[in-house]
Amino acid sequence: SASTLPGIPKTAAMVKYSCEAKIPSKSCKAAGSDLRVHYKNTYETAQAIKGRTLRNAQAYLEDVCQKRRCVPFRRYKGCIGRTPQAKEFKMSQGRWPIKSAKILLDLLTNAESNAEFKNLDIENLVITHVQVSEAQQGRRRTYRAHGRINAYMNCPCHVQFILSEQEEAVEKPEQEEAKPKKFTKKQLAKRRLQVGG
């Protein structure tokens, strides 16, 4: 369901998700539209939590807000400073986008309440789908020298999450007998050459 966060208009229509969960009964969704946070920062923060469990992602975002861990910048990395905290991700560039982290934490809380409503196992939820896309830019103006006016835009974004229950790992049964390998005439000829040479 679309969450009611501070930056979202209350009359927002239902969000159309770019992909559906494999097992809808064992997954939950959360989305936010026109969020007043920078698209690029939010994109990098969302990519950093993709594939994590719900609890792990929440702990990580809390650490980012406290500047104990950084968000690695992989795509939008022009003029991004380097930090030793990015070594955790085998990267060198990282930042601490606190506003983006707080918005994503709110969305994860919304997803958690949606999961409780569907009676899902919250400790077993994994973030399987994250999408951050650019929203329509807000337009303001700034006044420059010699009586000129320039655009002063902001870059909000839409975010959507799908969380699914992790499937329990099933052990692969041992093969009873290895099937004899079949070779073509060409392969046999090559092998004979290798042995002879």
Side-chain angles (χ1 to χ4, degrees):
S1 65
S3 67
T4 53
L5 295 173
I8 305 175
K10 289 185 179 176
T11 55
M14 286 292 286
V15 177
K16 188 173 183 183
Y17 286 80
S18 62
C19 80
E20 287 301 322
K22 288 180 182 175
I23 310 170
S25 60
K26 288 197 172 183
S27 56
C28 61
K29 299 175 179 179
S33 303
D34 295 300
L35 301 174
R36 287 293 299 272
V37 274
H38 289 308
Y39 159 72
K40 291 181 182 181
N41 290 348
T42 311
Y43 172 86
E44 298 291 1
T45 312
Q47 290 304 311
I49 62 172
K50 187 178 181 180
R52 293 176 185 255
T53 62
L54 175 64
R55 294 292 179 230
N56 184 335
Q58 286 173 328
Y60 170 70
L61 291 175
E62 292 287 354
D63 285 346
V64 169
C65 290
Q66 301 297 322
K67 298 199 175 182
R68 287 195 290 263
R69 294 165 80 184
C70 79
V71 170
F73 276 57
R74 301 173 196 273
R75 177 181 281 184
Y76 301 109
K77 58 185 182 181
C79 299
I80 300 292
R82 295 177 295 183
T83 172
Q85 288 183 6
K87 287 179 187 174
E88 177 189 350
F89 308 96
K90 297 186 179 175
M91 300 285 293
S92 60
Q93 294 168 293
R95 278 186 177 173
W96 300 267
I98 292 171
K99 194 172 176 184
S100 294
K102 284 181 177 174
I103 288 283
L104 293 183
L105 268 171
D106 286 347
L107 275 173
L108 288 177
T109 307
N110 180 235
E112 188 180 335
S113 63
N114 291 345
E116 282 175 5
F117 182 74
K118 291 178 83 171
N119 295 323
L120 301 179
D121 180 12
I122 289 165
E123 301 302 320
N124 207 18
L125 283 176
V126 175
I127 300 169
T128 52
H129 166 73
V130 180
Q131 181 174 302
V132 180
S133 46
E134 294 175 76
Q136 186 177 3
Q137 292 187 328
R139 180 176 286 277
R140 288 183 291 168
R141 53 184 10 194
T142 184
Y143 300 93
R144 310 306 298 264
H146 310 298
R148 291 174 301 128
I149 289 174
N150 280 8
Y152 208 69
M153 315 288 273
N154 64 10
C155 304
C157 60
H158 307 306
V159 182
Q160 51 185 246
F161 283 114
I162 295 178
L163 290 82
S164 304
E165 277 188 4
Q166 208 168 18
E167 293 175 10
E168 292 178 12
V170 180
E171 289 184 16
K172 195 176 182 181
E174 293 179 16
Q175 291 181 341
E176 293 170 6
E177 289 181 19
K179 291 180 181 177
K181 288 186 177 178
K182 293 183 179 179
F183 296 105
T184 62
K185 286 181 182 178
K186 197 173 185 180
Q187 287 171 330
L188 287 168
K190 274 188 181 178
R191 279 172 173 258
R192 271 189 236 115
L193 274 173
Q194 285 169 359
V195 171

